[in-house]
């Protein structure tokens, strides 16, 4: 599939089948079946799996375009997670099953072991675990595919009302297994996860801007639309800046992943993206809520579809602090005279 | 995505660009080692060094995009971007040629008379001819269209009366490009009746009075025109077309790397002071500042590419300048909070010196070239709010 077609397809499906009602329904436990079916039929869910392994075979960069759209539309299903699971399986040359998937472990402290072909340990706060048919796992230096039903599940919920369940893997035998290629470790999975969340945040912020501008044009106080007031105009200009910065940062991270660059320059791009997009999420959500007034604080208004997801995504796969510290340490280790080359991605090392 | 409103296309560097960057870095490294310059914050605004400008000119790093017949290098905008970002991030003294190379030369190239181009552009490209900006007046700052300086038609030219202010380096510049009223103000057509003039600052009837800034430098000026005669051939473009010309000048003026890197030398020296194994809080601050720099750079580079493609991304440029100049101040605040220094320009250590530069110059970042309030207004208009 080529660039434009992938993104146009995603936009069309999401515009048709991901209205605010579907997002609200999903929070009450209703699976967005029509939406998922359409996404799967168009090959979007497995865009990062090559065709021989049952996937859509899109460019990695296009996958990040899909993720931005998913963030913009607040897709209440594991589209990002299935893409990421597909990426992981693909790294091990494993064929991807159909249906929704998720990835584990996502928490840095989670210990999962594999002995004599049997798993043990618990993966915590696994996104959409209860809706997923399969889990792609990275454990004991291997990439594994596990049937979700084989795992004991303890439900949990994110700030956005999405499933973040603990899954106990004790006694589970993987369906498929392959050694992880050199360099593919928990850290790399976290890096790709961070790039994924950064892209979702960029998409959500972009739509948050549209939504806030539209509200400011429609809502009237003191006899005119509130968007006519300079204070509101400046707040929205700031939101536009945050959204643009998040997108620039997220695009750079997506390109690093697409190029398979996990050296210092790639890590820097991803760390910078998660830190910057997370910062933009905090600032942007606050501005959007302020502009929307009390209305935006109601469940009825759909503003929270994006702001609650932003608050959730900024923390997942490492928050701003985690990634800023990592980037700062990388820079310190290289030294002051390498700082500028490092920022420009043209460092010799 | 945001790209639907503000497009920042990706920029990729080829072998030629990478070679140029290395060449510039080598030059800066050698100059630094031999004492050719000491890094400073706001080096493109305050670091006046004709010697440095001539060195850059000799290497072909000024007027890079202009036709060869005018002393240029016929290079893409990206090449100039590389040179300028390397210079500003290193804190090299580029103030003398900055305005001429960035906006006055391109303006003359686009709207100037052939004679103006032939006589002036090669000297700018050689690093020998400097320009001042003649936009603001004592009563016209953000509201540029309200300028009152007038040009009255006389035989063979124009007589100029009025005052221009905040012209950085006018006392050391050869020319000023001034935005002047050539027809009376019309409240219904505020942008009409304005004309740009190329003014020889040595001409009679012009008095340049220095204004000290808070850093104690004689940086900017008030230029007083008292029946100053300007010949007809010094009109730039069409009489009455000044507003359109000045707006296109601003798109170039607002989008460059100097709009987010002015205080970058503070970060470099901060990293040096913190050493190879900083504490967690120190590392966090450095990382967060670097992350913001990287995002801004990508946006700013995207605008450079749009300029190369012949677009005039005025709104995107305003957005990046707003974000970038705020960041220049944040960088200084975060740095001094981590590592205070005796903020004196004469401080013996480099960190103290660049931090002092930073603290004292940061207030101008969010004013010069359009206040951030004006810039936010431009963005808000694009959003459909005005």
């Amino acid at each position: 599939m080529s660039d434009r077609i992938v993104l146009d397809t995603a936009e069309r499906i999401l515009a048709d089948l991901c209205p605010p009602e579907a997002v609200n329904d999903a929070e009450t436990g209703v699976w967005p079946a029509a939406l998922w079916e359409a996404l799967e039929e168009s090959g979007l869910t497995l865009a990062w799996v090559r065709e021989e392994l049952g996937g859509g075979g899109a460019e990695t960069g296009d996958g990040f375009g899909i993720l931005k759209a998913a963030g913009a539309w607040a897709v209440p299903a594991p589209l990002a997670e299935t893409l990421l699971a597909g990426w992981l399986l693909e790294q091990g040359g494993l064929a991807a099953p159909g249906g929704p998937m998720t990835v584990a472990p996502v928490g840095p402290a989670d210990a999962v072991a594999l002995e004599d072909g049997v798993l043990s340990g618990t993966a915590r706060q696994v996104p959409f675990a209860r809706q997923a048919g399969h889990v792609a796992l990275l454990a004991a230096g291997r990439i594994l595919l596990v049937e979700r039903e084989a795992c004991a599940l303890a439900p949990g919920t994110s700030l956005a009302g999405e499933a973040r369940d603990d899954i106990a893997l004790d006694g589970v035998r993987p369906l498929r297994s392959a050694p992880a290629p050199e360099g593919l470790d928990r850290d790399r999975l976290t890096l790709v996860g961070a790039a994924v969340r950064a892209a979702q945040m960029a998409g959500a912020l972009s739509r948050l801007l549209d939504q806030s501008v539209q509200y400011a044009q429609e809502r009237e106080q003191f006899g005119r639309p509130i968007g006519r007031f300079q204070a509101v105009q400046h707040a929205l200009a700031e939101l536009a800046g945050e959204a643009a910065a998040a997108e620039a940062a997220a695009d750079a991270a997506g390109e690093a992943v697409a190029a398979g660059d996990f050296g210092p320059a790639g890590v820097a791009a991803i760390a910078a993206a998660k830190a910057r997009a997370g910062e933009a999420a905090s600032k942007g959500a606050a501005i959007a809520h302020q502009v929307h007034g009390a209305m935006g604080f109601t469940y009825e208004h759909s503003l929270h579809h994006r702001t609650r997801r932003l608050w959730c995504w900024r923390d997942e796969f490492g928050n701003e602090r985690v990634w800023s510290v990592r980037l700062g340490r990388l820079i310190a280790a290289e030294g002051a005279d390498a700082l500028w080359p490092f920022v420009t991605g043209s460092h010799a090392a | 995505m945001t790209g639907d409103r503000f497009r920042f296309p990706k920029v990729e560097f080829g072998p030629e660009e990478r070679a140029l960057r290395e060449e510039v870095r080598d030059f800066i490294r050698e100059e630094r080692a031999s004492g050719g310059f000491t890094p400073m914050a706001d080096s493109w605004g305050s670091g006046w060094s004709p010697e440095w400008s001539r060195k850059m000119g000799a290497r072909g790093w000024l007027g890079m995009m202009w036709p060869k017949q005018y002393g240029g290098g016929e290079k893409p905008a990206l090449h100039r971007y590389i040179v300028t970002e390397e210079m500003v991030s290193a804190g090299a003294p580029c103030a003398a040629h900055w305005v001429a190379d960035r906006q006055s030369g391109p303006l003359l190239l686009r709207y100037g008379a052939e004679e103006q181009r032939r006589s002036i552009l090669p000297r700018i490209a050689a690093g020998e001819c400097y320009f001042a900006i003649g936009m603001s007046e004592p009563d016209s700052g953000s509201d540029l269209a309200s300028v009152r300086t007038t040009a009255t038609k006389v035989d063979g030219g124009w007589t100029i009366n009025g005052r221009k202010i905040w012209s950085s380096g006018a006392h050391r510049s050869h020319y000023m490009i001034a935005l002047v009223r050539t027809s009376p103000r019309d409240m219904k057509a505020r942008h009409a009746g304005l004309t740009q003039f190329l003014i020889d600052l040595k001409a009679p009837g012009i008095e340049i009075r220095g204004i000290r800034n808070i850093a104690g430098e004689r940086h900017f000026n008030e230029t007083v025109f008292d029946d100053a005669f300007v010949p007809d051939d010094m009109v730039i473009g069409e009489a009455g077309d000044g507003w359109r010309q000045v707006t296109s000048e601003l798109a170039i003026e607002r989008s460059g790397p100097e709009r987010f890197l002015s205080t970058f030398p503070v970060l470099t020296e901060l990293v040096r002071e913190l050493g190879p194994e900083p504490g967690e809080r120190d590392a966090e601050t450095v990382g967060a500042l670097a992350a913001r720099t990287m995002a801004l750079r990508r946006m700013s580079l995207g605008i450079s590419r749009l300029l190369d493609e012949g677009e005039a991304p005025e709104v995107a440029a305003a957005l990046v300048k707003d974000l970038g100049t705020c960041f220049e101040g944040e960088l200084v605040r975060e740095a001094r909070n981590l590592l205070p220094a005796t903020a004196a320009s004469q401080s013996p250590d480099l960190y103290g010196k660049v931090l002092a530069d930073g603290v004292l110059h940061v207030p101008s970042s969010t004013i010069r070239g359009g206040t951030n309030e004006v810039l936010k207004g431009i963005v808000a208009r694009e959003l459909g709010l005005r």
Side-chain angles (χ1 to χ4, degrees):
Chain A
M1 285 195 282
S2 81
D3 193 1
R4 212 47 251 180
I5 298 173
V6 175
L7 299 185
D8 287 347
T9 307
E11 271 297 322
R12 186 174 41 75
I13 293 173
L14 295 172
D16 280 354
L17 299 169
C18 195
E21 302 76 47
V23 182
N24 280 339
D25 285 351
E27 196 171 345
T28 67
V30 179
W31 173 247
L35 170 63
W36 186 266
E37 206 173 302
L39 291 170
E40 197 164 72
E41 271 176 14
S42 356
L44 294 170
T45 56
L46 293 180
W48 277 343
V49 177
R50 52 178 191 269
E51 285 169 22
E52 308 91 272
L53 296 176
E59 299 291 326
T60 311
D62 295 344
F64 281 99
I66 298 171
L67 287 164
K68 283 199 266 184
W73 289 93
V75 170
L79 176 54
E81 289 72 14
T82 303
L83 274 165
L84 184 57
W87 174 85
L88 182 59
L89 294 172
E90 152 104 27
Q91 301 301 303
L94 295 177
M101 288 192 284
T102 189
V103 177
V106 291
D110 295 352
V112 177
L114 180 72
E115 214 169 314
D116 300 330
V118 180
L119 286 158
S120 63
T122 297
R124 291 180 205 287
Q125 298 185 23
V126 178
F128 296 98
R130 87 190 79 138
Q131 286 100 347
H134 295 86
V135 186
L137 273 174
L138 180 63
R142 297 189 73 81
I143 295 162
L144 310 160
L145 183 70
V146 165
E147 229 172 345
R148 209 275 302 148
E149 283 203 336
C151 316
L153 188 139
T157 306
S158 76
L159 281 175
E162 292 179 340
R164 295 291 186 270
D165 307 317
D166 293 352
I167 52 172
L169 295 153
D170 302 304
V172 173
R173 285 181 179 277
L175 291 174
R176 292 167 200 162
S177 169
E182 200 188 325
L184 181 62
D185 53 10
R186 288 273 288 273
D187 183 53
R188 183 164 301 180
L189 178 59
T190 307
L191 283 163
V192 179
V196 165
R197 288 291 187 255
Q200 288 174 284
M201 285 194 274
L205 280 161
S206 159
R207 185 54 56 91
L208 206 57
L209 173 63
D210 293 342
Q211 213 173 359
S212 302
V213 167
Q214 193 187 340
Y215 184 81
Q217 287 167 330
E218 289 166 1
R219 169 73 174 170
E220 290 196 10
Q221 287 292 279
F222 305 102
R224 48 183 162 157
I226 58 167
R228 304 292 291 183
F229 292 98
Q230 201 173 43
V232 176
Q233 292 174 359
H234 287 192
L236 289 171
E238 224 166 287
L239 173 52
E242 292 301 311
E247 186 165 13
D251 286 351
E255 284 156 20
V257 173
D261 177 7
F262 298 100
V267 171
I270 294 167
K274 189 62 168 59
R276 186 63 187 90
E279 182 191 2
S282 301
K283 288 185 184 167
I287 292 170
H289 272 291
Q290 190 66 20
V291 168
H292 278 80
M295 195 59 76
F297 194 60
T298 64
Y299 194 88
E300 190 187 348
H301 197 283
S302 67
L303 181 65
H304 67 88
H305 291 169
R306 276 149 210 105
T307 56
R308 287 164 72 214
R309 279 174 176 76
L310 285 167
W311 293 327
C312 168
W313 293 335
R314 67 184 175 179
D315 285 342
E316 293 183 331
F317 295 101
N319 66 5
E320 296 93 283
R321 174 171 193 143
V322 166
W323 289 109
S324 294
V325 168
R326 177 139 178 201
L327 181 55
R329 292 219 158 116
L330 264 175
I331 287 167
E334 301 276 341
D337 293 323
L339 169 64
W340 175 247
F342 202 84
V343 164
T344 58
S346 53
H347 185 50
Chain B
M1 301 303 102
T2 324
D4 299 344
R5 293 184 194 275
F6 307 107
R7 202 159 74 81
F8 302 102
K10 189 195 173 192
V11 167
E12 275 172 291
F13 297 104
E16 207 185 328
E17 280 87 20
R18 283 195 291 273
L20 171 64
R21 189 183 294 286
E22 283 316 310
E23 195 189 331
V24 179
R25 282 183 185 173
D26 286 344
F27 169 75
I28 290 173
R29 211 176 293 122
E30 283 160 24
E31 287 291 326
R32 181 88 178 85
S34 65
F37 79 103
T38 307
M40 61 194 295
D42 193 42
S43 70
W44 64 273
S46 308
W48 192 279
S49 168
E51 190 192 346
W52 186 267
S53 298
R54 280 192 294 268
K55 280 181 185 175
M56 283 185 65
R59 277 161 185 79
W61 294 341
L62 299 179
M64 291 182 85
M65 296 141 69
W66 309 344
K68 288 189 174 146
Q69 64 189 109
Y70 305 122
E74 298 185 0
K75 303 288 187 196
L78 198 52
H79 285 219
R80 180 177 177 274
Y81 193 98
I82 289 169
V83 171
T84 53
E85 73 169 349
E86 290 297 326
M87 292 289 164
V88 176
S89 63
C94 294
H97 65 257
W98 196 268
V99 168
D101 172 64
R102 177 181 66 188
Q103 66 198 83
S104 312
L107 186 85
L108 291 179
L109 197 58
R110 192 157 168 200
Y111 299 110
E114 181 56 24
E115 174 51 30
Q116 295 168 355
R117 293 182 197 150
R118 269 212 317 265
S119 68
I120 294 174
L121 294 181
R123 287 160 58 210
I124 296 178
E128 290 168 356
C129 179
Y130 316 131
F131 272 65
I133 299 173
M135 293 191 198
S136 295
E137 295 182 4
D139 294 317
S140 301
S142 291
D143 181 11
L144 187 57
S146 69
V147 293
R148 290 181 192 168
T149 299
T150 56
T152 313
K153 191 76 192 82
V154 293
D155 195 25
W158 302 74
T159 305
I160 299 191
N161 281 288
R163 292 186 291 172
K164 288 291 174 185
I165 202 167
W166 316 133
S167 312
S168 301
H171 57 306
R172 294 182 283 205
S173 296
H174 304 87
Y175 294 100
M176 170 183 283
I177 291 178
L179 182 70
V180 171
R181 186 155 288 291
T182 41
S183 336
R185 271 182 90 174
D186 175 355
M187 290 315 284
K188 280 184 239 111
R190 298 184 70 243
H191 299 150
L194 295 168
T195 302
Q196 283 187 308
F197 284 90
L198 175 61
I199 294 172
D200 181 347
L201 290 170
K202 309 287 183 297
I206 298 173
E207 189 193 346
I208 301 173
R209 301 173 182 160
I211 302 172
R212 267 161 76 89
N213 68 14
I214 61 167
E217 303 151 344
R218 179 179 172 179
H219 172 80
F220 40 38
N221 297 275
E222 181 174 31
T223 307
V224 182
F225 301 90
D226 183 11
D227 278 337
F229 175 76
V230 177
D232 273 329
D233 59 9
M234 298 294 255
V235 170
I236 300 174
E238 298 295 320
D241 222 8
W243 185 260
R244 193 172 60 82
Q245 291 174 200
V246 94
T247 316
S248 78
E249 195 180 340
L250 284 170
I252 306 170
E253 184 182 335
R254 285 175 175 158
S255 58
E258 73 273 26
R259 300 309 188 177
F260 66 98
L261 289 175
S262 296
T263 58
F264 193 79
V266 177
L267 185 57
T268 304
E269 296 314 315
L270 177 68
V271 169
R272 199 183 313 282
E273 294 291 320
L274 294 175
E277 289 172 0
E280 181 162 317
R281 173 160 153 50
D282 294 347
E284 182 186 357
T285 299
V286 168
L289 292 171
R292 288 178 209 160
T293 310
M294 289 162 76
L296 281 162
R297 179 170 179 267
R298 185 169 171 115
M299 297 161 82
S300 172
L301 270 169
I303 293 176
S304 168
R305 178 163 155 198
L306 292 177
L307 287 170
D308 249 350
E309 289 169 0
E311 291 188 39
E314 289 155 19
V315 184
L319 181 128
V320 175
K321 183 175 182 288
D322 179 28
L323 209 57
T325 51
C326 286
F327 167 72
E328 291 180 344
E330 282 164 27
L331 193 161
V332 170
R333 280 193 294 280
E334 300 271 1
R336 64 149 280 279
N337 209 18
L338 273 198
L339 192 62
T342 314
S345 321
Q346 289 81 29
S347 176
D349 66 294
L350 192 50
Y351 175 68
K353 185 188 164 299
V354 292
L355 184 62
D357 293 341
V359 169
L360 291 173
H361 287 94
V362 144
S364 78
S365 287
T366 47
I367 299 168
R368 58 185 171 190
T371 65
N372 288 43
E373 288 70 24
V374 167
L375 301 174
K376 285 190 173 79
I378 292 170
V379 174
R381 186 183 297 124
E382 176 74 11
L383 292 173
L385 297 168
R386 297 176 57 204

